[in-house]
Amino acid sequence: MDRNFARALSLVLKSEGLWSDNPADPGGATMKGVTLANFRRYVKADASKADLRKISDDQVATVYRRFYWDAVAGAQLPGGVDYALFDYAVNSGPGRAAKCLQAVVGAKQDGKIGPDTLVKLKGMMRATVVDEVCDQRMAFLKRLPTWKTFGKGWSSRVSSVRDEAMKMAALPDAPPPIRVEVPVEVPKPVVPEKVEQKVKEKSGFLSWLTGLFGSGAIGLGWLGGMDWQAVLAGGVVLLVFLLILLLLRSQIVAAVRQIKAEVAE
């Protein structure tokens, strides 16, 4: 998993050491495991050995991630397997490390870790893969003509890688992030004071008109007495009054909407 890159890189750098320019080493001049060729490829095209010796930590991480970690699909590998293959890539090249993993899982050995390799890898125990990768790596190193010169150091390195990779393989993958939804209390809408004042003014005026018509109807009923003409007249007035109320209600609603629109502006 990509979460292991920082830890894997720190372990690799312990094995790589600092400056090295041994004529017997086919990698040539290296600083913290970064060869001059890779430094020129990813950092400075015309770099000299003196420039390489002054490489920064960020530049080191950039080279290791792009040339080794990404080349063996480190971010897609299980914990432990990612480190074992990453260190193998640094020591012997990404292509060889990738082919080693493909041989272990039974995939086509083309040196490019793709979907088929990853699917086959999922069906195997991490510890088993780590063990077999380290075993095949040691077998390859022992066949090299430089084994007599570097064999002791290589053996110690692979043994350390095996131990650390096994520790990583025993750890569970990081669980997905937990989303916690916090309820947010939404305050009830409050009518602005300006709107409320205008509504009172208009509704007060309309209420005055309503009261005026109501009083007129009562006055007519009193003047008419109890005869049927008076009752009929009162009924007509009451009907007109109800119609006026319905009209005034629609006007009040329209007035409130207009006031809100004016305040919003």
Side-chain angles (χ1 to χ4, degrees):
M1 300 294 177
D2 203 45
R3 59 188 170 88
N4 284 336
F5 174 71
R7 180 179 177 183
L9 178 59
S10 66
L11 292 171
V12 167
L13 292 179
K14 288 180 180 179
S15 299
E16 289 297 325
L18 297 176
W19 177 253
S20 174
D21 193 12
N22 191 326
D25 188 348
T30 62
M31 179 61 177
K32 296 183 179 180
V34 177
T35 65
L36 182 59
N38 282 334
F39 186 66
R40 288 171 175 172
R41 179 181 301 177
Y42 295 111
V43 181
K44 187 177 180 182
D46 59 346
S48 63
K49 289 185 179 181
D51 294 325
L52 177 60
R53 296 192 69 153
K54 296 184 293 184
I55 188 172
S56 68
D57 291 342
D58 288 342
Q59 291 170 339
V60 168
T62 296
V63 174
Y64 274 93
R65 178 181 286 277
R66 295 182 62 184
F67 190 70
Y68 301 111
W69 183 265
D70 291 345
V72 296
Q76 301 177 65
L77 300 179
V81 178
D82 51 4
Y83 168 54
L85 210 65
F86 175 52
D87 191 87
Y88 191 174
V90 171
N91 196 203
S92 303
R96 184 172 299 280
K99 288 181 180 179
C100 174
L101 178 64
Q102 290 170 332
V104 169
V105 302
K108 180 181 178 181
Q109 297 179 46
D110 58 3
K112 297 179 181 179
I113 298 176
D116 182 58
T117 304
L118 295 174
V119 168
K120 287 181 168 61
L121 176 60
K122 287 183 179 180
M124 299 184 66
M125 296 288 292
R126 301 179 187 183
T128 300
V129 176
V130 169
D131 258 341
E132 292 193 18
V133 166
C134 290
D135 287 345
Q136 289 201 22
R137 179 179 177 182
M138 281 300 302
F140 163 72
L141 292 173
K142 289 179 179 180
R143 294 194 299 268
L144 296 177
T146 52
W147 170 256
K148 292 183 179 180
T149 303
F150 300 105
K152 185 177 180 180
W154 286 342
S155 295
S156 176
R157 176 170 181 164
V158 174
S159 177
S160 176
V161 168
R162 190 192 303 265
D163 291 342
E164 291 296 332
M166 285 296 188
K167 293 177 184 177
M168 292 183 184
L171 297 175
D173 290 334
I178 300 175
R179 295 183 180 180
V180 179
E181 295 185 2
V182 180
V184 179
E185 184 177 352
V186 180
K188 295 182 179 180
V190 179
V191 179
E193 185 178 350
K194 183 177 179 181
V195 173
E196 186 177 3
Q197 183 60 35
K198 288 197 173 187
V199 170
K200 284 182 178 180
E201 291 175 359
K202 292 202 173 188
S203 61
F205 172 70
L206 296 173
S207 298
W208 177 79
L209 290 178
T210 303
L212 178 61
F213 280 101
S215 299
I218 295 174
L220 287 175
W222 176 76
L223 290 175
M226 298 299 295
D227 58 4
W228 66 271
Q229 290 100 344
V231 174
L232 181 59
V236 173
V237 171
L238 181 59
L239 181 59
V240 173
F241 169 68
L242 292 176
L243 292 174
I244 293 175
L245 277 181
L246 292 174
L247 178 61
L248 291 178
R249 181 179 177 280
S250 63
Q251 291 179 348
I252 291 173
V253 172
V256 171
R257 290 177 178 173
Q258 180 183 355
I259 291 169
K260 288 183 178 180
E262 291 175 357
V263 173
E265 294 175 357

